[in-house]
Amino acid sequence: MTNNLINIIFGMKVRQARLEVGLTLSEFASQCDLSPSYVTEIEKGRKYPRVDKIMRMTEVLQKPYDELVSIALSPSMAYLSTTLKSATFQRFPFDEFGLEMGDLVTLLTREPEKASALLHAVLEIGRRYGLREEDFLRAALRSYQEIHENYFQDLEDAAQSFIQEHGTQLGLTEEPPISQEALKTILEETYGYELNLQAIDTQPALQKYRSVYFEGKKPRLFINNALNSHQVTFILAREVGYQYLGLKERSFVSTPDQIDSFQQILNDFKAAYFGGVLLMPRQHMLSDLQHLFEQPTWPPHLMLAMLDKYNVTPEMLFYRFSELIPQFFGVKLHFLRFHHQENSTTYQLIKQLNMNQLIVPSGIGLLEHYCRRWLSVRLIREMVDAEHVPTSSDKPHIGVQMSEFVDTQDRFLCLGFSRELSLSPGVMSSVIVGFRVEPDMKNTIRFSQDPAIPQVIINETCERCPLTAEQCRDRAVEPTILWDEQKQRDRKLALIEIQNQL
């Protein structure tokens, strides 16, 4: 057990005992001959007092010394104790959200038994749905991105400084794309890397990885040669990000099998953000976005041209959209990535970033069927039905849709791409960005008024959808959850009716 955790448990027990005897913080501090600020530091777990001070506290609190300093908590607080000692709680990045662990403990100890019961419920839900520590850490990263609208000026500035230092070498003096060979040279000559594009191919067990990194005096980076040129360039740009930003704690394989800390995934995110800026410099992207949004009708050719101009994949392009559009155009958006295995009936939500309060389908942990009218799903279905499925080296399938939720009438303008994955033959992938339709959006995105854009009524999942079979021929399953909710409402009305009769 860490000293930090011991301090927190001691501070929590002191605070609880003080409240039990009805003393304010100032009264308790006075009777213990301590300053209120010092007692606050103790109760928040920042300080652990000397033995003589603890002895004085036990007298004031009327508690035995051994009971106060013991790390054991009462049975009613067992789940609170378990949570405090868990790796997830210890590693959760409270400081990134302006909190200290002690601040949370202070909240929990106001009603410790109720807090313990609440934490028990949370842990039980996590076990029931197979949630792992990395799920919580990834959720924390998404929240961190969303509260910053996924825009980080320090990373933009760092990438811009690198471009100024190496712009000529990278081929960025005028127009993108960035030079892949220059990135290789910088990694090899500036940072002493050894690059290898064949080693992964000799190890079948490693072929699911995009890259593998080995640290040392001469860092080695193995890149999967099944990747296309866009993906290799991004891996190189991200690797420059790790080095230029001085990020030590990181994932050594891509995509990582294991998340050891929040700092690891935060550093991975920072390096990827840096790499995205190198490939798609801000001023170039803002100019292209402005041109795109000024079009009076939906311009798919401009979207495809941006992929070629920056030599990037659809996911890279849309992720860069998510970084710049909310900040510079004032339009909230969401980003979704879905996967679908050939000959399967399921669609998996792999990645999401939600900055516009989209109703993300609520059946994720319940194995429900996503609405087949979502653009994410529609693009994959169209691709599967086509005679030729776009591979990673082809032009991706592209589409647009104005989606309206059947219950809330919330509307979203959605743009998307779909294609087959490079390292997973038979797996179709779609990425979309969606913009919440507000009254003034037509002034920012002119083509949102294009009457040719399909207008589609959607819902969360088929199990919850009120559309009839005549209204929706895309339904995957019957609306079983909706029926159950209706039966529950009928039972409540029947009970009210009986009560009124009595």
Side-chain angles (χ1 to χ4, degrees):
M1 182 177 294
T2 65
N3 289 336
N4 186 43
L5 182 55
I6 292 172
N7 292 357
I8 287 172
I9 291 177
F10 178 78
M12 184 170 65
K13 295 180 80 168
V14 168
R15 184 176 188 276
Q16 186 180 10
R18 174 175 64 77
L19 295 175
E20 287 174 356
V21 297
L23 292 176
T24 66
L25 189 144
S26 296
E27 291 169 344
F28 176 63
S30 177
Q31 293 184 33
C32 293
D33 296 324
L34 301 171
S35 69
S37 62
Y38 185 66
V39 172
T40 298
E41 295 286 290
I42 292 171
E43 292 190 355
K44 285 186 177 290
R46 298 172 186 157
K47 297 287 178 76
Y48 196 94
R50 297 196 312 265
V51 172
D52 59 323
K53 290 183 171 62
I54 297 176
M55 293 295 294
R56 181 60 184 150
M57 289 179 181
T58 61
E59 295 173 8
V60 174
L61 297 173
Q62 301 173 18
K63 292 277 187 184
Y65 178 89
D66 290 343
E67 180 181 333
L68 194 62
V69 299
S70 169
I71 61 171
L73 297 173
S74 63
S76 63
M77 297 172 65
Y79 290 107
L80 180 56
S81 175
T82 301
T83 303
L84 289 173
K85 296 173 185 176
S86 71
T88 300
F89 195 84
Q90 291 292 304
R91 295 174 179 173
F92 196 85
F94 295 107
D95 55 329
E96 299 292 350
F97 297 89
L99 295 172
E100 295 182 45
M101 193 184 295
D103 296 324
L104 183 60
V105 170
T106 299
L107 294 174
L108 295 176
T109 52
R110 288 178 182 173
E111 295 283 354
E113 294 186 0
K114 292 180 181 178
S116 187
L118 174 62
L119 290 173
H120 174 44
V122 172
L123 291 173
E124 185 63 26
I125 290 170
R127 281 193 292 268
R128 180 171 299 180
Y129 291 102
L131 297 178
R132 301 161 296 174
E133 178 186 345
E134 68 179 64
D135 295 318
F136 289 98
L137 295 177
R138 290 191 186 280
L141 178 62
R142 284 197 300 273
S143 297
Y144 177 76
Q145 292 173 258
E146 289 167 8
I147 63 177
H148 289 90
E149 293 192 327
N150 204 31
Y151 182 79
F152 298 87
Q153 189 65 57
D154 58 331
L155 298 176
E156 296 278 344
D157 292 343
Q160 201 59 43
S161 295
F162 183 85
I163 289 172
Q164 290 173 357
E165 295 170 22
H166 301 276
T168 302
Q169 184 180 7
L170 295 171
L172 287 176
T173 50
E174 294 185 8
E175 289 287 328
I178 199 169
S179 166
Q180 184 180 118
E181 290 304 314
L183 288 172
K184 290 180 180 178
T185 300
I186 290 169
L187 285 171
E188 290 170 340
E189 296 183 359
T190 303
Y191 298 113
Y193 270 61
E194 177 186 324
L195 301 176
N196 188 312
L197 274 74
Q198 284 77 43
I200 289 180
D201 203 36
T202 65
Q203 298 290 334
L206 300 180
Q207 288 176 14
K208 75 164 193 170
Y209 295 133
R210 293 168 180 254
S211 63
V212 181
Y213 171 80
F214 295 93
E215 60 184 349
K217 286 186 177 181
K218 189 174 184 62
R220 290 178 293 165
L221 181 66
F222 296 171
I223 301 174
N224 194 322
N225 64 9
L227 298 175
N228 60 39
S229 172
H230 320 311
Q231 295 166 316
V232 172
T233 302
F234 174 74
I235 287 171
L236 296 171
R238 182 184 61 193
E239 203 62 37
V240 170
Y242 283 117
Q243 296 299 330
Y244 192 76
L245 297 172
L247 305 174
K248 302 300 182 185
E249 192 171 350
R250 55 169 292 174
S251 298
F252 294 100
V253 296
S254 177
T255 303
D257 296 315
Q258 181 176 334
I259 303 297
D260 296 318
S261 68
F262 181 76
Q263 194 62 54
Q264 174 188 334
I265 60 171
L266 180 61
N267 285 350
D268 291 344
F269 161 73
K270 288 180 176 180
Y273 191 112
F274 180 97
V277 180
L278 290 191
L279 300 182
M280 295 164 278
R282 184 176 60 206
Q283 291 309 313
H284 290 287
M285 277 294 297
L286 291 177
S287 176
D288 288 339
L289 283 168
Q290 185 68 48
H291 181 57
L292 176 73
F293 290 163
E294 286 174 348
Q295 302 307 303
T297 58
W298 157 238
H301 64 286
L302 292 182
M303 299 276 288
L304 293 169
M306 291 173 77
L307 294 178
D308 291 337
K309 175 178 178 178
Y310 297 103
N311 190 30
V312 293
T313 65
E315 182 174 358
M316 296 174 205
L317 181 69
F318 277 173
Y319 221 75
R320 191 66 173 133
F321 278 21
S322 76
E323 295 162 357
L324 297 177
I325 292 174
Q327 180 74 18
F328 292 95
F329 295 90
V331 180
K332 306 294 185 184
L333 60 75
H334 62 266
F335 169 98
L336 300 178
R337 180 178 181 182
F338 274 80
H339 283 181
H340 170 73
Q341 177 69 52
E342 191 176 11
N343 300 321
S344 168
T345 59
T346 62
Y347 297 83
Q348 294 179 289
L349 179 59
I350 300 299
K351 187 181 293 186
Q352 61 170 304
L353 191 62
N354 191 358
M355 293 182 283
N356 60 11
Q357 293 79 56
L358 168 76
I359 306 173
V360 175
S362 54
I364 293 173
L366 306 175
L367 302 179
E368 296 179 33
H369 294 74
Y370 297 109
C371 175
R372 284 356 190 195
R373 293 182 166 195
W374 281 57
L375 181 62
S376 306
V377 176
R378 196 197 93 197
L379 289 173
I380 291 177
R381 295 178 72 186
E382 290 175 351
M383 189 171 65
V384 170
D385 292 341
E387 292 184 3
H388 174 70
V389 175
T391 65
S392 60
S393 59
D394 295 327
K395 294 286 186 185
H397 182 49
I398 187 170
V400 64
Q401 177 174 303
M402 186 67 77
S403 300
E404 180 177 330
F405 278 92
V406 62
D407 289 328
T408 65
Q409 285 77 58
D410 288 338
R411 300 173 72 228
F412 297 88
L413 173 65
C414 301
L415 321 176
F417 294 102
S418 61
R419 62 186 176 92
E420 186 178 36
L421 294 181
S422 300
L423 301 185
S424 303
V427 176
M428 316 301 172
S429 175
S430 69
V431 289
I432 72 144
V433 287
F435 308 99
R436 178 178 284 275
V437 177
E438 302 287 2
D440 60 346
M441 192 179 81
K442 62 181 180 292
N443 299 322
T444 305
I445 306 178
R446 288 188 61 201
F447 67 78
S448 64
Q449 302 298 297
D450 184 355
I453 293 176
Q455 310 283 315
V456 182
I457 301 297
I458 66 170
N459 197 48
E460 298 175 59
T461 65
C462 293
E463 285 84 348
R464 302 168 188 268
C465 185
L467 295 177
T468 65
E470 291 73 24
Q471 292 171 316
C472 178
R473 301 188 181 278
D474 298 314
R475 180 185 293 281
V477 295
E478 298 293 345
T480 52
I481 293 178
L482 187 73
W483 290 344
D484 288 341
E485 291 174 348
Q486 182 61 55
K487 290 176 183 177
Q488 185 176 5
R489 286 193 294 270
D490 292 343
R491 287 193 292 269
K492 287 183 179 179
L493 290 173
L495 288 171
I496 292 172
E497 185 175 341
I498 291 176
Q499 185 178 17
N500 290 338
Q501 290 174 357
L502 294 175

